Amino acid sequence: MAAGGFCKLPNGTVVVALNLPRPTAAGSGSVRVLVHAQNRARALTRLRNLGMRAVYLRGNAEPPTPDEITAVLHHPDGLIWRTAPGADACAAELWHPIRALMRRTATPQGF
């Protein structure tokens, strides 16, 4: 189960933040994913459509911070990620588009 939370914005949309295990076989640790959508269900559906099938949001233990909300609102896709905060994470790491995370998981192993 992924730790995370959500924040409802004044215009009725939501920002969902989830800490997920890194989807690559070589990488360890976790990533923090932010999704901007009309509601929580649509936010989770956006992630499931990308291949992250077992994504659920239970509770609101780790809602997005104001800085995270600003970052996802200013991104054209409304779907970003970076290494989850922790001992191995760099504090100055920038947010990446979700395509960058999915591209890392799709690299061929035989080449």
Side-chain angles (χ1 to χ4, degrees):
M1 178 170 46
F6 68 95
C7 180
K8 190 164 186 171
L9 302 176
N11 65 358
T13 61
V14 297
V15 174
V16 174
L18 293 168
N19 289 347
L20 301 171
R22 187 176 295 271
T24 60
S28 61
S30 62
V31 294
R32 179 101 164 148
V33 178
L34 296 174
V35 184
H36 180 233
Q38 292 296 319
N39 55 44
R40 285 181 288 169
R42 285 190 183 188
L44 296 176
T45 300
R46 288 185 73 186
L47 290 173
R48 290 181 186 130
N49 287 342
L50 292 171
M52 300 179 195
R53 300 286 183 217
V55 175
Y56 296 98
L57 179 63
R58 306 219 194 278
N60 199 14
E62 295 181 27
T65 64
D67 291 336
E68 291 175 335
I69 294 170
T70 301
V72 76
L73 290 178
H74 283 89
H75 194 272
D77 292 339
L79 190 56
I80 57 177
W81 72 277
R82 74 173 171 191
T83 305
D88 61 341
C90 177
E93 181 182 6
L94 299 176
W95 290 97
H96 308 284
I98 198 71
R99 291 182 307 270
L101 181 64
M102 303 315 289
R103 184 172 38 240
R104 290 181 185 187
T105 63
T107 56
Q109 298 298 322
F111 296 105

